[in-house]
């Protein structure tokens, strides 16, 4: 009823909205441009915003621009678990059977990233969503886990996404 009243072709804010149907607001275009820069520079980025502004939609739109033969996307929204859950989730995302000890998992993940980027020439893209709920220990381990060759190279793309207070 409201669709015909407002002359809408489909439901606004639907979960099945495709990126090509998105309203190209200044904020949306800016976020996509920042993610594209991150893709080219290979590094770490932060995407924050208020609830419902379209952070995850923007991440989905960005993911669709990535060539699957050049990029392997690992989407991980489980930010309320422990550090070991985080490590296991990343290992699964890399196609690895997780080891049991933290030190072994740490090495397994780093080697998996290096193998994927070095041997297979595929850039792993880690999208960690809902990170505003993550514990401090979780966030501290991210800095350790994604440190390669004494912090001189990034063989991956890492995107942390969450509510605005994640910046603090």
């Amino acid at each position: 009823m409201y669709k015909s009243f407002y002359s809408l072709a489909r439901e606004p804010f639907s979960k099945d909205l495709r990126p090509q149907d998105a309203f190209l607001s200044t904020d949306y275009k800016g976020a996509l441009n920042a993610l594209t820069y991150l893709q080219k520079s290979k590094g770490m980025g932060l995407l924050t915003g208020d609830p419902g502004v379209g952070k995850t939609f923007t991440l989905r739109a960005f993911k669709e621009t990535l060539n699957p033969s050049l990029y392997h996307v690992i989407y991980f929204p489980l930010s309320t678990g422990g550090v070991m859950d985080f490590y296991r989730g990343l290992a699964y995302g890399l196609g690895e059977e997780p080891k049991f000890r933290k030190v072994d998992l740490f090495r397994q993940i780093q080697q998996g990233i290096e193998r994927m980027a070095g041997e297979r020439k595929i850039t792993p893209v880690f999208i960690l969503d809902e990170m505003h709920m993550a514990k401090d220990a979780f966030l501290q381990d991210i800095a350790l886990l994604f440190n390669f060759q004494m912090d001189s190279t990034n063989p991956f793309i890492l995107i942390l996404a969450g509510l605005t207070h994640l910046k603090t």
Side-chain angles (χ1 to χ4, degrees), residues 1-41:
M1 175 173 203
Y2 67 91
K3 287 194 287 188
S4 60
F5 182 79
Y6 289 105
S7 301
L8 299 173
R10 60 171 39 119
E11 291 182 36
F13 310 111
S14 173
K15 292 280 189 185
D16 65 350
L17 185 68
R18 298 172 309 197
Q20 58 267 29
D21 298 328
F23 174 69
L24 299 176
S25 70
T26 304
D27 289 339
Y28 178 67
K29 289 190 286 189
L32 284 179
N33 287 337
L35 291 169
T36 301
Y37 172 77
L38 192 61
Q39 174 189 357
K40 291 176 183 166
S41 64

Side-chain angles (χ1 to χ4, degrees), residues 106-114 144-148:
F106 181 92
R107 184 174 175 182
Q108 182 181 31
I109 292 166
Q110 284 208 327
Q111 287 177 343
I113 291 169
E114 287 174 332
L144 301 173
L145 186 60
F146 289 98
N147 180 336
F148 285 83

Side-chain angles (χ1 to χ4, degrees), residues 50-128:
D50 292 328
V53 298
K55 295 176 297 297
T56 303
F57 176 81
T58 302
L59 292 169
R60 275 197 324 263
F62 171 67
K63 177 187 178 284
E64 287 190 20
T65 68
L66 300 174
N67 181 339
S69 63
L70 298 175
Y71 297 93
H72 176 74
V73 177
I74 299 155
Y75 177 75
F76 193 76
L78 181 63
S79 61
T80 56
V83 173
M84 290 298 287
D85 293 325
F86 169 62
Y87 276 43
R88 283 186 193 97
L90 295 185
Y92 282 130
L94 289 166
E96 304 277 341
E97 185 61 38
K99 306 278 185 189
F100 292 100
R101 294 180 25 212
K102 185 176 179 180
V103 68
D104 295 328
L105 265 170
F106 181 92
R107 184 174 175 182
Q108 182 181 31
I109 292 166
Q110 284 208 327
Q111 287 177 343
I113 291 169
E114 287 174 332
R115 256 192 321 277
M116 189 173 283
E119 295 170 16
R120 296 174 50 201
K121 305 295 186 223
I122 296 174
T123 302
V125 180
F126 297 92
I127 299 175
L128 309 182

Side-chain angles (χ1 to χ4, degrees), residues 123-147:
T123 302
V125 180
F126 297 92
I127 299 175
L128 309 182
D129 205 355
E130 307 298 341
M131 291 302 293
H132 57 277
M133 295 187 277
K135 298 177 177 102
D136 286 344
F138 192 89
L139 295 171
Q140 290 168 359
D141 265 49
I142 288 173
L144 301 173
L145 186 60
F146 289 98
N147 180 336

